[in-house]
Amino acid sequence: MSYKSSNTIKTLIILLFIVLLILLYAGRLNETKSFNKSGIFMDTYVSIEIQGKEGEKALEACWKKLEDLSIKFDRFNSESEIYKINSNSGNWVKISNDTLDLLKKAIHFAKVSEDLFDP
């Protein structure tokens, strides 16, 4: 093998190695990060998985929304509006518009399901 062909082979190997490194690095740039969280809200197991650059931020926003809904609507939480309604039968209880909307929807679905859904 001549000196010239030996250098050509070495150059090709180095170029191939550089291209391989570039491809490996480029593949890592497109890796999708995954964020997940699990817990129990309103006596129900909840698991959320979000992928993407802003996944962690989105996951925290979702989790915060679940916590807020749980505070308002969890029938087992003595601070929730639903618990207060259930434990003050026959008495007036001040509720938020969100709870009023939820109750209206519950009544609607009870009617359209012919009471198969029992709020």
Side-chain angles (χ1 to χ4, degrees), residues 34 77 111:
S34 180
N77 178 349
K111 287 178 183 175

Side-chain angles (χ1 to χ4, degrees), residues 63-78:
W63 205 256
K64 174 77 171 110
K65 186 66 174 176
L66 282 172
E67 289 173 337
D68 293 345
L69 291 172
S70 182
I71 289 168
K72 282 186 182 177
F73 302 139
D74 187 348
R75 65 187 175 123
F76 302 107
N77 178 349
S78 62

Side-chain angles (χ1 to χ4, degrees), residues 47-62:
S47 179
I48 300 174
E49 181 176 341
I50 298 178
Q51 296 181 351
K53 280 184 179 180
E54 300 292 324
E56 187 171 24
K57 186 177 177 181
L59 176 65
E60 291 308 317
C62 288

Side-chain angles (χ1 to χ4, degrees), residues 12-26:
L12 286 174
I13 290 173
I14 290 171
L15 284 174
L16 184 62
F17 182 71
I18 291 171
V19 169
L20 182 62
L21 285 176
I22 291 170
L23 290 174
L24 287 174
Y25 182 72

Side-chain angles (χ1 to χ4, degrees), residues 70-89 93 95 99 103:
S70 182
I71 289 168
K72 282 186 182 177
F73 302 139
D74 187 348
R75 65 187 175 123
F76 302 107
N77 178 349
S78 62
E79 299 299 314
S80 82
E81 294 177 3
I82 299 298
Y83 180 91
K84 289 175 183 175
I85 291 169
N86 288 339
S87 62
N88 286 291
S89 180
V93 175
I95 59 172
T99 300
L103 294 173

